[in-house]
Amino acid sequence: QVQLVEAGGGLVQPGGSLRLSCTASGVIFRIHDMAWYRQAPGKQRELVASITSGGTTNYVDSVKGRFTISRDNGENTVYLKMDTLKPEDTAVYYCNTVFRRFNWGQGTQVSVSS
């Protein structure tokens, strides 16, 4: 059974940084195109960054230049480095494949506030 475990969230001031991690188990991680999603209160879950099995990355416009997605296939882990955080980045962050193939993990809360 596939399990996704997200970590690294927290409370940070505007302009601050966080690095999220998501570790997968029970899956051949390296073959999957992975993504980070976020869901703010009262809003739909949205994809914010993706990385293919070959390492090609893509970002939604609102995070371009501020977020960096990366992966370590040896550790079955995908990362999201978030810089210059804004209050509107506040959300629960999740990882999954780009096709939302696996059951969702518990997510990790990111709160940006002064």
Side-chain angles (χ1 to χ4, degrees), residues 64-77:
K64 278 182 181 176
R66 300 189 298 120
F67 290 11
T68 304
I69 188 171
S70 61
R71 66 190 298 161
D72 183 336
N73 290 334
E75 296 294 328
N76 281 11
T77 299

Side-chain angles (χ1 to χ4, degrees), residues 16-96:
S17 298
L18 285 172
R19 188 193 193 206
L20 308 182
S21 65
C22 170
T23 301
S25 59
V27 61
I28 304 175
F29 178 79
R30 67 181 184 278
I31 68 173
H32 293 285
D33 298 343
M34 297 298 296
W36 280 97
Y37 301 78
R38 67 185 179 188
Q39 187 167 20
K43 294 189 176 181
Q44 299 242 5
R45 193 168 300 186
E46 64 168 342
L47 188 153
V48 295
S50 64
I51 184 166
T52 68
S53 58
T56 299
T57 59
N58 203 5
Y59 303 89
V60 67
D61 284 347
S62 60
V63 308
K64 278 182 181 176
R66 300 189 298 120
F67 290 11
T68 304
I69 188 171
S70 61
R71 66 190 298 161
D72 183 336
N73 290 334
E75 296 294 328
N76 281 11
T77 299
V78 60
Y79 299 97
L80 187 68
K81 180 70 183 336
M82 305 185 296
D83 296 312
T84 319
L85 282 160
K86 304 176 180 181
E88 51 263 43
D89 295 318
T90 295
V92 180
Y93 284 71
Y94 304 86
C95 74
N96 209 318

